[in-house]
Amino acid sequence: MGKVSMKLINEEGLRHDGRRPDEMRPVTMEVGVLSNSDGSALVSFGRTRVLAAVYGPREPPQRYMILPDRALLRVRYHMAPFSTSERKSPAPSRREIELSKVIREALEDIVLTHLYPRTSIDIFIEVLQADGGTRTAAVTAASLALADAGIPMKALVAGVAVGKIEGVLVLDVDEIEDGSGEADMPVAAAPDIGKITLFQLNGVLTREEIERGLDMALNAIQKLVEMEKEVLRKKYTFNV
Amino acid sequence: MSLTPYRIPIVPEIKKQTLLSLYDKGLRPDKRDLYTPRDLTVQVGVIEKAEGSALVKLGRTQVLAGVKIEVGSPFRDTPDEGVITVNAEFVPLASPYFEPGPPDENAIELARVVDRSLREVNAVDRKSLVLIPGEKVWIVFVDLYILDHDGNLFDASMLAAMAALLNARLPDYEELETGEILVKKEVKKDPLKINHIVVSTTLAKVGRHIIVDPSLEEETVSDTRLVVSYDETLRVVGIQKTGPSSLTKDEIIKMINIGADSAKIYFKALAQAFQDAGLPVKLEL
């Protein structure tokens, strides 16, 4: 990994899978895919597939967790053991613990938790297949599952990562690109209210690249949110 | 599973309003301006038995970092590189809000942010840590011990980790005929090969204000924080948004620019610490 010298951007400026630098992988979104949960969604970015389910508002499992003025948000990001090439132990890794926190913090400012004091809103995310961009697909799936559960939100959220490979800024990095890229910058945002709710940079980018990369990400996120709206509209519009 | 924190210091709304009106005048409770970090001291070599160590005091926040170096096997996918691992312990003596037990999500996030900032630019040259390629390498453990929590653990920990790594010396060793490595811990030899010096600046958003190096009180009232890591040329080598609220693109860009000035102050403090200890470190700025 990272050691294989392979051209990731060819002479025509295309990526290893034929995408342009600012092109996402094929995206699919589905809501209401599970029967027990109050809301659910399945999102795929190329071969990355993430399932999210929402339970709540409901009673928190422990009384001491109760927040008197708003709902408690509980988020678990977890990867299935078969989601990676090498089996991933089902025990939560340090990475999964960090990402659960980062994803929760991406949703805290979006969910109208003050409407449901003393309750818990639980978001369970399972990565079924990991091929890069799982945290951003996870935020996107969580946003859809929350909407599907009828939880009031300020706006819909979506996420995508921008990477730098062979000196070129690229949108929606996959696993091969992430493994040998110079930088990876996952972003999640609620474009309708102009808020960036998740932001990380791993690697080196100039300030100009950060700004340009943010524009690329926000542009794509706008489209993802439009797609979320379309999927929700399709499910919740009835013709009598 | 990550939960909305329910065990956090309660700050009365009136306190938040007081802070906000101070910020409106460009002031802070400890008489700093909005973009200046607290007084900083770095002491190196404070734990003799560690291969490297440093105690950082950033205002009343104290972080002790220790480096231990042992022989181990390389990762299968990087047979020609040594290993660096960063771990953080929020020891219960540091704060009434810390409980004994395995690292929680905050400690894990802190350790991973420090780890990534060092790793992405190969701050400690991993190739220089190979003893027998594919078989035996040096494993460098950086353990961060939070001793007193008064906010901004990220910057203090990053400084402590960097100072301890700059201070660290590899132990002497002998390669036996059996292929085993006999480590002679009592003899300290060469320093680690350091390619880049990395520090981080934490910026908090409080209402419409941006402040640098928040104290615990300020962190508690802040909406969210951005931790920006810089190398000695002030390149941005890592960023983490931490905290429940959101930022705009303009705020992020502004924070990255403001943070660079604090980074310069941090680099100076690091250089001063090594000068005081009679161990000059070359810092190109």
Side-chain angles (χ1 to χ4, degrees):
Chain A
M1 269 205 274
K3 294 286 158 286
V4 197
S5 58
M6 172 179 157
K7 280 295 279 175
L8 288 172
I9 305 273
N10 70 14
E11 300 75 41
E12 290 121 73
L14 297 178
R15 294 151 76 177
H16 75 97
D17 55 359
R19 279 188 287 161
R20 294 184 311 277
D22 63 345
E23 191 178 342
M24 283 202 69
R25 291 172 283 180
V27 176
T28 67
M29 296 179 184
E30 233 182 302
V31 288
V33 293
L34 301 175
S35 62
N36 267 322
S37 60
D38 296 307
S40 59
L42 180 63
V43 167
S44 65
F45 290 2
R47 295 199 298 172
T48 289
R49 267 207 285 289
V50 180
L51 184 61
V54 169
Y55 283 86
R58 60 180 179 180
E59 195 173 331
Q62 306 290 338
R63 286 196 61 81
Y64 60 77
M65 296 175 178
I66 287 175
L67 299 172
D69 57 338
R70 64 206 150 105
L72 170 83
L73 225 53
R74 301 199 303 158
V75 174
R76 187 175 98 133
Y77 164 97
H78 185 250
M79 293 174 86
F82 45 78
S83 63
T84 47
S85 2
E86 303 253 326
R87 178 177 185 267
K88 195 222 146 266
S89 156
S93 63
R94 288 164 68 88
R95 177 178 172 278
E96 288 168 295
I97 292 170
E98 184 200 340
L99 290 190
S100 296
K101 177 178 190 278
V102 165
I103 294 168
R104 176 178 58 74
E105 290 177 342
L107 299 168
E108 291 269 7
D109 199 24
I110 295 298
V111 178
L112 295 170
T113 51
H114 66 276
L115 295 177
Y116 302 100
R118 309 182 65 82
T119 66
S120 169
I121 296 171
D122 303 340
I123 302 157
F124 301 117
I125 298 160
E126 292 292 335
V127 176
L128 303 181
Q129 185 159 269
D131 191 33
T134 60
R135 79 195 69 181
T136 48
V139 174
T140 310
S143 166
L144 276 169
L146 283 162
D148 187 42
I151 309 269
M153 290 187 278
K154 291 181 192 166
L156 290 167
V157 201
V160 71
V162 169
K164 185 180 174 187
I165 48 173
E166 290 161 15
V168 182
L169 286 184
V170 296
L171 188 66
D172 186 26
V173 284
D174 67 15
E175 191 172 71
I176 291 175
E177 293 174 327
D178 193 26
S180 45
E182 292 115 79
D184 174 36
M185 185 172 80
V187 182
D192 293 351
I193 50 173
K195 285 173 185 281
I196 294 168
T197 66
L198 182 156
F199 184 63
Q200 293 176 293
L201 168 65
N202 310 316
V204 182
L205 287 181
T206 66
R207 289 169 212 193
E208 182 270 329
E209 285 167 340
I210 293 172
E211 206 166 341
R212 201 148 46 86
L214 262 171
D215 284 333
M216 277 171 80
L218 292 174
N219 211 341
I221 287 168
Q222 177 84 56
K223 289 181 191 142
L224 287 168
V225 164
E226 288 312 317
M227 201 170 160
E228 286 184 32
K229 286 180 192 167
E230 195 48 45
V231 169
L232 290 165
R233 228 177 257 132
K234 218 174 240 166
K235 167 135 195 248
Y236 289 103
T237 309
F238 301 98
N239 291 314
V240 186
Chain B
M1 185 129 68
S2 176
L3 277 67
T4 308
Y6 48 84
R7 245 182 89 82
I8 48 163
I10 292 166
V11 177
E13 186 59 24
I14 191 160
K15 186 110 210 173
K16 182 169 185 177
Q17 294 309 322
T18 309
L19 286 172
L20 282 172
S21 59
L22 268 178
Y23 298 157
D24 284 338
K25 297 181 201 120
L27 296 169
R28 293 168 78 173
D30 51 9
K31 304 193 173 67
R32 283 187 280 165
D33 66 41
L34 303 190
Y35 301 157
T36 304
R38 291 169 286 182
D39 287 340
L40 168 65
T41 61
V42 182
Q43 276 172 273
V44 291
V46 290
I47 305 290
E48 291 83 354
K49 285 206 171 180
E51 274 67 72
S53 61
L55 175 66
V56 166
K57 295 181 184 172
L58 182 58
R60 291 191 307 181
T61 289
Q62 293 190 54
V63 177
L64 178 61
V67 171
K68 292 300 294 174
I69 303 178
E70 284 167 14
V71 175
S73 310
F75 288 119
R76 249 189 302 163
D77 53 345
T78 51
D80 56 348
E81 291 184 3
V83 177
I84 295 164
T85 70
V86 181
N87 179 57
E89 295 285 337
F90 286 15
V91 284
L93 57 75
S95 161
Y97 300 97
F98 292 172
E99 287 289 336
D104 68 359
E105 62 177 26
N106 297 303
I108 288 171
E109 182 188 33
L110 172 74
R112 286 177 55 84
V113 168
V114 172
D115 182 282
R116 283 200 291 268
S117 302
L118 296 169
R119 181 177 308 278
E120 293 286 348
V121 290
N122 203 19
V124 179
D125 194 297
R126 291 193 293 279
K127 287 212 167 28
S128 71
L129 298 172
V130 176
L131 297 166
I132 307 170
E135 285 185 35
K136 293 270 187 287
V137 297
W138 290 118
I139 312 232
V140 179
F141 293 91
V142 180
D143 282 286
L144 295 163
Y145 240 55
I146 312 302
L147 297 183
D148 213 351
H149 178 17
D150 189 34
N152 198 2
L153 299 180
F154 281 94
D155 295 4
S157 298
M158 190 74 234
L159 278 162
M162 200 65 237
L165 285 165
L166 285 163
N167 174 244
R169 288 181 174 265
L170 291 164
D172 194 12
Y173 70 97
E174 199 181 317
E175 201 180 321
L176 302 177
E177 281 173 23
T178 55
E180 292 295 297
I181 302 279
L182 177 70
V183 179
K184 300 168 180 172
K185 283 258 162 158
E186 60 287 355
V187 190
K188 291 183 180 181
K189 298 267 287 195
D190 300 329
L192 296 171
K193 188 176 173 219
I194 305 286
N195 292 326
H196 291 287
I197 298 173
V198 179
V199 301
S200 73
T201 301
T202 296
L203 302 107
K205 180 188 166 189
V206 192
R208 60 191 170 281
H209 296 286
I210 290 167
I211 58 169
V212 157
D213 176 31
S215 67
L216 182 60
E217 184 181 57
E218 292 176 315
E219 268 182 15
T220 316
V221 301
S222 75
D223 304 306
T224 197
R225 283 171 283 154
L226 199 69
V227 183
V228 188
S229 302
Y230 304 85
D231 74 357
E232 70 284 356
T233 62
L234 296 179
R235 274 195 311 177
V236 177
V237 300
I239 302 181
Q240 177 98 340
K241 179 218 142 198
T242 181
S245 191
S246 52
L247 295 166
T248 64
K249 183 188 150 199
D250 291 345
E251 284 167 342
I252 290 174
I253 303 297
K254 190 175 169 197
M255 285 169 142
I256 292 169
N257 289 329
I258 294 170
D261 287 332
S262 290
K264 280 188 215 162
I265 296 173
Y266 292 158
F267 285 122
K268 280 208 189 91
L270 269 181
Q272 186 66 47
F274 282 88
Q275 205 175 4
D276 292 349
L279 312 157
V281 167
K282 206 172 61 177
L283 271 171
E284 274 142 31
L285 269 176

